[in-house]
Amino acid sequence: METFRIRKLRVERGMTIAELATAAEVSTALISQVERGLTDPSMATLRQIAKVLAVPLFDLFQPASPESAVTVIKRGEESTITSPNGDASYARKSVPHGQVEVLRGELRPGGVSHEQPWSHPAEECVVVVEGSLLVEVDGVDHRLTDGDSCYFDSRLPHRLVNDSDRPTVFLVAVTPPSY
């Protein structure tokens, strides 16, 4: 069970549980259960909550260590999320208080990062570590294989597609953090 900062962020913004739930289009019971650590919300729900609280998605996760000049995130200690369709998983390899967000992603064979292309206010660079990846940006497909990278303006509708029969491992750098 993940630990979330939703209560802290909600209170800082002077919102009640009911106000957050209404704005995020979820039940008050769900917000209450998440804040008390009784349930883990879906990635779609976390995205809605992050949007209402005006923070990047991963800012909802409790930081693994206090802010300092140097932060080490050990393998297995990072925050992780899975896409709503279960095709993609992401591990945050950067600190929550930085200006660059780095994610290690895995996309199953035949999987997509999002059912439909989406956009957010940022810039991204995707690097394929293992496998192949189709990066769809604004309706144009870009094929990447081991070691290839693709940079784009995230305000353009985009998504990642693994149309191969092997899992794909990739890194994504996003600035400012907005995933």
Side-chain angles (χ1 to χ4, degrees):
M1 184 93 43
E2 287 284 350
T3 305
F4 298 99
R5 298 176 47 221
I6 295 169
R7 178 183 291 139
K8 177 182 182 300
L9 294 166
R10 175 181 60 75
V11 170
E12 285 174 358
R13 283 151 181 77
M15 296 179 80
T16 65
I17 289 176
E19 290 169 336
L20 176 57
T22 298
E25 299 177 354
V26 298
S27 71
T28 55
L30 177 64
I31 297 292
S32 177
Q33 290 172 356
V34 170
E35 286 189 355
R36 291 181 291 139
L38 300 177
T39 190
D40 279 337
S42 70
M43 189 164 85
T45 298
L46 285 173
R47 268 206 187 112
Q48 283 298 106
I49 293 169
K51 184 176 178 181
V52 170
L53 295 174
V55 297
L57 174 67
F58 272 101
D59 278 10
L60 298 180
F61 292 83
Q62 188 66 37
S65 60
E67 293 183 24
S68 69
V70 177
T71 302
V72 175
I73 300 171
K74 297 286 191 177
R75 184 181 334 173
E77 294 178 359
E78 62 272 278
S79 298
T80 59
I81 57 172
T82 303
S83 64
N85 61 18
D87 289 352
S89 63
Y90 298 92
R92 186 176 191 166
K93 305 305 271 182
S94 55
V95 295
H97 56 274
Q99 294 301 306
V100 176
E101 184 170 54
V102 179
L103 307 171
R104 180 186 185 277
E106 294 186 26
L107 192 55
R108 71 173 180 80
V112 294
S113 60
H114 305 88
E115 290 301 326
Q116 297 297 319
W118 76 297
S119 60
H120 51 104
E123 298 173 26
E124 285 186 49
C125 183
V126 178
V127 180
V128 174
V129 175
E130 182 180 316
S132 67
L133 196 59
L134 193 65
V135 180
E136 293 180 8
V137 181
D138 204 21
V140 178
D141 295 342
H142 306 274
R143 168 78 54 203
L144 305 180
T145 59
D146 295 6
D148 293 345
S149 65
C150 179
Y151 167 87
F152 56 92
D153 182 335
S154 304
R155 292 175 295 188
L156 299 171
H158 61 280
R159 71 178 184 157
L160 308 177
V161 178
N162 179 358
D163 59 355
S164 76
D165 59 358
R166 311 181 337 179
T168 298
V169 178
F170 56 95
L171 297 173
V172 180
V174 182
T175 188
S178 62
Y179 193 81

